[in-house]
């Protein structure tokens, strides 16, 4: 349950045109990710991103779990 203060804050945010526009932008961009992506474009994207940080991160050490519950 929300407190009265939290409800008031949410109502004030709902009245903000800038906040509404940000949520519209988020919704539009999140649905754009649901499209199918060409593998070649994806590899090109990964290659471009790897150029931004050419030094690879150190791999994390392997942790062997004795008892795994799912």
């Amino acid at each position: 349950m929300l407190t009265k203060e939290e409800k008031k804050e949410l109502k004030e945010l709902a009245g903000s045109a800038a906040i509404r526009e940000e949520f519209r932008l988020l919704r539009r961009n999140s649905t754009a990710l649901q499209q199918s992506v060409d593998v070649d474009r994806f590899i090109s994207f990964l290659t471009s991103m790897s150029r931004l940080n050419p030094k690879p991160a150190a791999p994390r050490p392997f942790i062997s779990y004795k008892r795994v519950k799912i």
Side-chain angles (χ1 to χ4, degrees), residues 9-65:
E9 182 181 358
L10 287 174
K11 286 181 181 179
E12 289 172 1
L13 288 173
S16 169
I19 295 292
R20 287 195 310 270
E21 184 56 35
E22 285 182 20
F23 275 98
R24 284 188 196 108
L25 182 63
L26 284 170
R27 186 179 313 120
R28 186 174 60 234
N29 288 338
S30 67
T31 57
L33 296 175
Q34 296 174 1
Q35 303 173 28
S36 61
V37 177
D38 182 30
V39 174
D40 291 330
R41 283 187 72 186
F42 183 63
I43 291 173
S44 175
F45 167 76
L46 292 177
T47 302
S48 299
M49 293 306 291
S50 70
R51 290 183 183 138
L52 294 176
N53 187 13
K55 182 181 176 186
R60 293 188 288 173
F62 178 76
I63 300 172
S64 177
Y65 293 98

